[in-house]
């Protein structure tokens, strides 16, 4: 058992064990997903590169969203109102 001083926000030991079990299930699911991709012919290097590119894309997208937000404030409009001006879809 964890001492109370180590329990975040007074969480009960039972809640912590439930969280650990959920993380174990997620870990197993990810391992199975990786095994599936490997069996389909993907390599670990290819998967790592893909993940790296997704992180880079998300960082660039976040920067773009931040800039659109600042521009919207300056113009006194919503970010959504700027999308057509820059040929962006709401799903972008």
């Amino acid at each position: 058992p964890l001492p109370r001083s180590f329990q975040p926000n007074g969480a009960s030991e039972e809640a912590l064990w439930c969280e650990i079990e959920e993380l174990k299930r997620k870990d197993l699911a990810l391992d199975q997903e990786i095994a599936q991709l490997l069996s389909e012919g993907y390599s670990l290097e290819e998967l790592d590169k893909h993940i790296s590119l997704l992180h880079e894309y998300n960082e660039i997208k976040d920067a773009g969203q931040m800039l659109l937000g600042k521009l919207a404030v300056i113009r006194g409009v919503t970010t959504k109102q700027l999308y057509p001006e820059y040929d962006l879809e709401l799903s972008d």
Side-chain angles (χ1 to χ4, degrees), residues 25-87:
R25 282 190 291 277
K26 287 180 181 181
D27 184 50
L28 179 60
L30 288 172
D31 285 344
Q32 291 171 341
E33 195 173 333
I34 289 169
Q36 172 74 28
L37 290 168
L38 291 174
S39 73
E40 292 173 6
Y42 294 97
S43 69
L44 287 177
E45 294 81 19
E46 187 177 13
L47 294 173
D48 286 340
K49 179 67 175 172
H50 185 72
I51 290 168
S52 176
L53 289 171
L54 283 172
H55 284 294
E56 184 177 349
Y57 167 80
N58 284 329
E59 288 173 6
I60 293 168
K61 183 177 177 184
D62 290 345
Q65 289 293 324
M66 183 184 68
L67 290 172
L68 276 175
K70 289 182 181 233
L71 183 58
V73 168
I74 290 169
R75 291 189 181 177
V77 298
T78 65
T79 304
K80 183 178 177 179
Q81 290 171 309
L82 293 176
Y83 273 58
E85 183 176 339
Y86 296 98
D87 295 323

Side-chain angles (χ1 to χ4, degrees), residues 5-18:
S5 60
F6 291 114
Q7 294 180 5
N9 300 322
S12 71
E13 184 176 340
E14 182 179 339
L16 292 173
W17 282 114
C18 288

